[in-house]
């Protein structure tokens, strides 16, 4: 097992991220529930609210991992809709494929694809969502260009991400939780490198994501924070 967390700037960054998620796929859902005290479900619901997914929509969930955000989207798109979950980690996709389809949901297709080089034609989707994935992209601007390319004109992009609170007391709590407890929980779960990478990647993730969305050509860009400033939802229209 590789003991060092992926480092942005390494030529091998994308490969390191890929193999890290391959490794932790089996504990990923449980770790999410523990680390967020179950709140991740609420955050996903709010992100999908922002995407304004309606019955019959075609939705792409990028960096879908074990599939929970795509599944939430499938509930909104309904049986007439179509949801595609895309990720480059086959073990994460395998867990998503193992989740039983729910009644009244859009069918979900799970695709192994790189978010930086999407295998979909231009203007294919009404909405693109990405949950806790944008921070992991080796080239965020290229990823945003791809997201805009595959969206129909007027299609919505929603990015759900962890962010760093700027004000006390959450700022202090975040430092304790992310810098001390998360790596410790990761050690107990058997992958300290993966769970040291998590706080590092949050810190280095561009603060100015909204500016990057504007630069990528998105309109009506806005963002809101939740959970005391720990979680951000950014959105824009193609
Ligand atoms: C933290 S997980 C998020 C999973 C899921 N969206 C969720 O909400 O729980 C990040 C996912 O992004 C995927 N990923 C990172 N870079 C990627 C890329 N360039 N193309 C496709 N998937 C990527 C990883 O394999 C991993 O499954």
């Amino acid at each position: 097992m590789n003991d060092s967390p992926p480092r942005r700037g390494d030529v091998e960054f994308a490969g390191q991220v890929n193999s890290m998620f391959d490794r932790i796929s089996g504990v990923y859902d449980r770790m999410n529930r523990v680390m967020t005290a179950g709140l991740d479900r609420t955050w996903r619901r709010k992100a999908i609210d922002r995407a304004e997914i309606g019955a019959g929509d075609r939705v792409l969930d990028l960096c879908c991992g074990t599939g929970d955000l795509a599944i939430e989207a499938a509930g909104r798109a309904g049986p007439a809709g179509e949801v595609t979950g895309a990720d480059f980690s086959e073990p994460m996709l395998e867990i998503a494929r193992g989740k039983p389809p729910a009644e009244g949901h859009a069918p979900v297709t799970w695709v192994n694809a790189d978010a930086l080089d999407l295998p979909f034609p231009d203007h294919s989707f009404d909405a693109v969502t990405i949950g806790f994935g944008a921070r992991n992209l080796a080239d965020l601007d290229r990823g945003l260009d791809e997201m805009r390319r595959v969206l129909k004109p007027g299609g919505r992009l929603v990015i759900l991400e962890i962010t760093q609170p700027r004000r006390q007391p959450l700022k202090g709590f975040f430092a304790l939780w992310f810098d001390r407890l998360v790596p410790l929980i990761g050690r107990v779960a058997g992958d300290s490198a993966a769970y040291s990478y998590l706080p590092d990647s949050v810190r280095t993730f561009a603060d100015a994501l909204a500016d990057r969305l504007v630069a990528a050509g998105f309109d009506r860009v806005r963002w809101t924070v939740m959970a005391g400033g720990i979680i951000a939802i950014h959105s824009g229209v193609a």
Side-chain angles (χ1 to χ4, degrees):
M1 189 206 289
N2 180 0
D3 287 340
S4 44
R7 271 206 309 265
R8 189 168 286 284
D10 280 5
V11 278
E12 279 304 313
F13 177 75
Q16 292 167 357
V17 168
N18 193 336
S19 61
M20 181 185 76
F21 282 106
D22 286 359
R23 268 189 348 252
I24 64 170
S25 57
V27 295
Y28 181 82
D29 280 347
R30 246 170 302 143
M31 286 292 280
N32 260 353
R33 300 292 111 81
V34 172
M35 287 186 322
T36 68
L39 286 172
D40 64 301
R41 292 187 173 123
T42 309
W43 302 336
R44 283 175 219 284
R45 262 199 304 278
K46 294 210 172 195
I48 296 300
D49 286 346
R50 177 76 73 82
E52 296 178 359
I53 295 164
D57 275 356
R58 295 193 73 199
V59 182
L60 172 64
D61 182 44
L62 279 179
C63 298
C64 67
T66 55
D68 287 353
L69 194 60
I71 291 167
E72 189 68 36
R76 310 291 174 91
E82 268 175 56
V83 174
T84 303
D87 201 284
F88 67 9
S89 163
E90 196 53 36
M92 293 289 270
L93 288 168
E94 275 308 305
I95 306 244
R97 289 188 187 109
K99 294 184 178 172
E103 194 152 341
H105 278 211
V108 186
T109 310
W110 305 105
V111 176
N112 190 325
D114 185 347
L116 305 186
D117 188 12
L118 291 172
F120 309 111
D122 297 358
H123 309 157
S124 300
F125 299 98
D126 299 292
V128 171
T129 56
I130 174 165
F132 310 113
R135 180 172 32 94
N136 295 295
L137 297 181
D139 183 342
L140 177 62
D141 294 325
R142 183 161 152 198
L144 292 174
D145 285 346
E146 277 294 81
M147 295 172 210
R148 196 165 73 87
R149 180 183 70 73
V150 300
L151 273 168
K152 296 176 186 173
R156 290 89 56 200
L157 169 66
V158 173
I159 301 178
L160 172 67
E161 256 310 339
I162 304 169
T163 180
Q164 235 181 336
R166 292 168 200 214
R167 297 214 188 113
Q168 297 294 8
L170 260 293
K171 194 173 164 193
F173 172 76
F174 183 91
L176 174 70
W177 183 251
F178 255 53
D179 290 337
R180 309 238 177 237
L181 286 176
V182 166
L184 185 68
I185 296 170
R187 256 205 307 281
V188 173
D191 201 320
S192 66
Y195 288 93
S196 316
Y197 163 76
L198 176 56
D200 284 351
S201 69
V202 170
R203 236 185 312 278
T204 54
F205 184 64
D207 224 0
L209 179 57
D211 294 343
R212 313 272 288 265
L213 286 179
V214 172
F218 285 94
D219 292 327
R220 285 183 266 158
V221 171
R222 66 190 180 100
W223 61 289
T224 46
V225 291
M226 296 182 291
I230 289 176
I231 297 294
I233 298 181
H234 287 73
S235 60
V237 172

